[in-house]
Amino acid sequence: MDEAGLDPVREGHHRLLDLVSELETSDLREPSGLPGWSRAHVVAHLAHNAIALANMTSAAGRGELVDPYPDGDRDEAIERDAAQDAIGLVQQTATAHAQLEIVWDSVSEQDWQRPVRLRDGTVAGLVSCRWRELEIHTVDLDLGHTELEWSPEFCEHTIDFLLPRLEGSGVVLAPSDLERTWEIGDSPTRKIEGSGASLACWLAGRTLQRLPSGDGPLPELGPWP
């Protein structure tokens, strides 16, 4: 993992803080795009996720496997921290970002492939996880950053990751602005078209700016992977 591999995460951290740092506490109490979660819940979740990934990375460097949230219930912690005022929550988030970046800056080349207890993956996979969390949840904040701003690289990565949600549907995903297609099933009979961003956002189960189109109703998505 070279420095460029961490750049999308750093950019996502900066973008998130830019969006929330000027908000009032009342703004953070407004609903997010996720049912039952305010914007503060989303921001608190992203802060906790950063600390969880930092802890898993540090443990992996010692040859240890730890759970993402070993100290208690994740949702309980999110509820607690979402109740902070804007200053406290933004500061907590900035500190979590800094901690994660410091830990990842210290990872040696060989340690990126150490195993972690998250989807039976590796430390390098945690970087992709953080990238997805940042991009998708920043859209959930409903603060003007939409899936239409996702890069082609992120759209392709997200479609790859979320493709198992379409298992058994027998479709072809054909993004109009990416240089590849995805086939699900041995003999797919239906084509779903749209931009890479619309297909990635649909697979993520989010409200879209532009819906994909297909032959008939879009297939029902499987459980979150």
Side-chain angles (χ1 to χ4, degrees), residues 25 47 94 109:
T25 300
E109 188 61 35

Side-chain angles (χ1 to χ4, degrees), residues 3 20 61 71 124 138 141 173 175:
E3 184 70 18
V20 303
D71 296 329
T138 300
L141 289 173
L173 298 184

Side-chain angles (χ1 to χ4, degrees), residues 1-189:
M1 178 72 63
D2 58 20
E3 184 70 18
L6 296 176
D7 283 348
V9 170
R10 298 186 199 280
E11 292 166 5
H13 285 167
H14 288 307
R15 181 188 306 114
L16 176 64
L17 287 176
D18 284 346
L19 286 171
V20 303
S21 61
E22 300 300 323
L23 296 182
E24 301 292 338
T25 300
S26 58
D27 298 321
L28 287 167
R29 298 282 182 266
E30 291 292 320
S32 75
L34 293 177
W37 269 19
S38 67
R39 288 172 175 151
H41 285 89
V42 175
V43 177
H45 165 60
L46 286 169
H48 281 278
N49 175 260
I51 296 303
L53 299 185
N55 290 340
M56 284 192 288
T57 300
S58 297
R62 301 190 299 269
E64 301 173 6
L65 295 174
V66 298
D67 292 327
Y69 302 97
D71 296 329
D73 185 83
R74 184 200 73 154
D75 292 338
E76 181 180 317
I78 290 171
E79 287 289 344
R80 180 193 66 231
D81 289 338
Q84 298 180 87
D85 63 17
I87 293 174
L89 185 55
V90 171
Q91 183 57 57
Q92 179 186 13
T93 303
T95 300
H97 288 181
Q99 180 176 335
L100 180 58
E101 291 181 18
I102 289 169
V103 168
W104 278 351
D105 283 341
S106 68
V107 175
S108 63
E109 188 61 35
Q110 62 269 24
D111 283 345
W112 285 111
Q113 296 309 312
R114 284 183 178 267
V116 295
R117 194 171 286 162
L118 182 68
R119 301 189 182 93
D120 296 321
T122 63
V123 174
L126 298 182
V127 179
S128 297
C129 173
R130 184 62 179 173
W131 191 23
R132 292 190 300 271
E133 291 281 329
L134 282 166
E135 291 290 349
I136 294 172
H137 284 313
T138 300
V139 169
D140 290 332
L141 289 173
D142 192 22
L143 290 171
H145 182 78
T146 75
E147 75 275 5
L148 300 181
E149 298 174 68
W150 286 349
S151 69
E153 294 78 13
F154 179 75
C155 294
E156 186 169 331
H157 165 75
T158 301
I159 293 171
D160 278 335
F161 179 73
L162 295 176
L163 205 63
R165 302 192 75 195
L166 287 173
E167 187 174 354
S169 62
V171 297
V172 176
L173 298 184
S176 58
D177 53 355
L178 301 179
E179 295 182 357
R180 60 180 288 199
T181 59
W182 288 259
E183 293 189 1
I184 300 91
D186 295 332
S187 301
T189 58

